[in-house]
Structure formats: structure tokens, C-alpha cells
Amino acid sequence: MSAPMFLVDALPAGDSFVLDGPEGHHAATVQRLRAGETLLLSDGRGTLATGQVDSVGKGTVSVSLGARSVVPAPDPRLVVVQGIAKGDRGELAVQAMTEIGVDEILPWAASRSVAQWRGDRGFKARDKWAATAREAAKQARRPWLPVVGGDPDCSTKQVAARLGASAFVLHEEATERLTTVPLPASGEIVLVVGPEGGISDAELAAFDRATPVRLGREVLRTSTAGVAALSVLSARLGRW
């Protein structure tokens, strides 16, 4: 079993480190690490360090640091515009997409989104997406944390402005397939996933810079469509 990963603001310059705060509590109390066990520390921005547990205190873990490495940022970046879904479907999508390898997630206030992020509720919901992505990145041992954008969400106009040369909209009536469309060697790929009710004709028209694509004959849920599409892209880009 691979060593568990814990996130820190910055890796120390020295050879020893005390992991405390929420991460230290998780390592000592939840993971129940013991002296001699191995762990990974990451700043979430590509830097990793292997460590060995020296001792465990109350909510703290003393670590001797070993080998360090810097993992380059993924290129091209995979950006998913995720239509806001009701209940926990959005969080399920964020969790799975993070494990697959998404680099940025933009919560989209689509016209057919049942849930609406208004006022403080919206910021709390966005923060929950960010927390879900953080925990999923740790579980997957990802050295780069995905970015969760939005203020707290993105409008259709904001999404349209973000679409570049390589942008795709998952749509059940599309004739082109994500498995065969041309992909760039670098830059970013933006993928738009609609909410439960799908993408409206007006929104599809607003996203005229994006290519409508489909995965297959089946119509997937909003919580699984992005995951399936990212799997296709990860294989095609050689990430897998």
C-alpha cells in the first residue's frame, strides 16, 4: 500500500518537520501513524517529500524528511465546467474528477440547474467543492491540487469567455465523438458538462466557440459524464 499524503503550506528547508493542525490530527488520530512508517508531504503545487515518522504526539507527528521531487504541472490542463447539480451529485462529480486528474473545476450556474448558489449558501457550497477536491487529491496522491473557481459560481457569459481553441460541450445530439476530435499538445482543454436538465439551446449557442461532442449512445448523469470524459482525455493524452 502506498504511503499516505498530507498537505502543507510549504515544505521546510531542513531535514525535520512537525506535522500539526488538521493534517497532524488526521495523521495521528485518524490514520494512526506510528514511528518508522512512511508518509508523503506535498504543498499541492507539485513539490513532494518522502518522510519517516519519528514520533507521534497528541495531534502532531514528528517527521524526518528524505527525498524530494518536483512534478511538472500537467500540460495540457484539463478544465471542467460543471453544471451545478442538486444534492450531493456535484460533490460526487468533484471527488471522482479529482481522482481522475482534473486540473480546474468551474461551478456553472446553468439555466436548468435545479440548485442555485445564492448569497452565503453559494460560498459555502463552493468551499465544500474545494474541500472535497482537496481530500480527493490526497487520497489519489496528487502532487497538484485542482483549482475550484467561481465567485462563488460562473455565469453562462463567464463560461463562454473562458472557452478557447480547444473547448468541448458534452451533448447527446452531437455527431462528433470525444474519442476522435483533435486535441492540442499543450495549453488547456475546456470541457462543459451540463446539469441534470441538460444544456439549453441558448446556452449551446452562447458556447459557439466550443465543439459539441458525445461519448456514446448512452445519456450519462451529470455526476458521471465529466468523469467518463476525463477518462477518455487522460487516455488520449498519455496521462494513463
Side-chain angles (χ1 to χ4, degrees):
M1 182 176 178
S2 59
M5 190 179 84
F6 300 92
L7 291 169
V8 295
D9 292 335
L11 291 176
D15 297 329
S16 60
F17 181 72
V18 176
L19 185 65
D20 56 12
E23 294 290 83
H25 172 79
H26 187 78
T29 306
V30 180
Q31 292 277 359
R32 298 192 176 190
L33 295 182
R34 296 293 180 261
E37 293 190 289
T38 301
L39 55 75
L40 296 173
L41 295 179
S42 174
D43 61 1
R45 298 181 297 279
T47 304
L48 282 171
T50 301
Q52 186 178 60
V53 177
D54 290 330
S55 62
V56 179
K58 187 177 181 179
T60 64
V61 176
S62 297
V63 182
S64 290
L65 298 178
R68 301 170 188 247
S69 61
V70 177
V71 180
D75 185 33
R77 299 179 72 245
L78 298 179
V79 181
V80 174
V81 176
Q82 175 66 53
I84 295 172
K86 64 181 179 180
D88 61 355
R89 289 180 183 174
E91 291 158 40
L92 290 173
V94 169
Q95 178 182 7
M97 290 191 298
T98 299
E99 293 174 3
I100 294 295
V102 71
D103 298 303
E104 185 174 355
I105 302 170
L106 299 176
W108 172 35
S111 62
R112 294 176 179 171
S113 288
V114 176
Q116 300 293 323
W117 289 6
R118 295 190 177 96
D120 290 342
R121 177 188 176 188
F123 287 100
K124 289 179 181 178
R126 195 273 312 275
D127 289 347
K128 198 165 186 180
W129 278 28
T132 299
R134 178 185 175 90
E135 292 306 309
K138 288 166 56 180
Q139 176 68 33
R141 278 68 161 174
R142 288 190 56 180
W144 284 90
L145 278 181
V147 176
V148 178
D151 190 25
D153 51 21
C154 296
S155 66
T156 297
K157 183 178 180 180
Q158 290 172 319
V159 170
R162 179 64 186 269
L163 303 179
S166 296
F168 305 99
V169 180
L170 292 183
H171 198 274
E172 61 191 73
E173 296 179 4
T175 56
E176 293 198 57
R177 294 179 179 271
L178 188 59
T179 52
T180 58
V181 291
L183 299 177
S186 62
E188 73 175 22
I189 299 171
V190 181
L191 184 72
V192 181
V193 179
E196 296 98 325
I199 298 173
S200 69
D201 291 340
E203 289 165 339
L204 196 60
F207 301 153
D208 58 351
R209 287 194 290 176
T211 302
V213 294
R214 64 183 304 158
L215 292 167
R217 291 178 298 179
E218 294 78 14
V219 178
L220 303 181
R221 290 180 178 270
T222 186
S223 55
T224 56
V227 179
L230 285 170
S231 300
V232 171
L233 293 175
S234 294
R236 292 194 60 194
L237 293 170
R239 289 193 177 192
W240 285 8

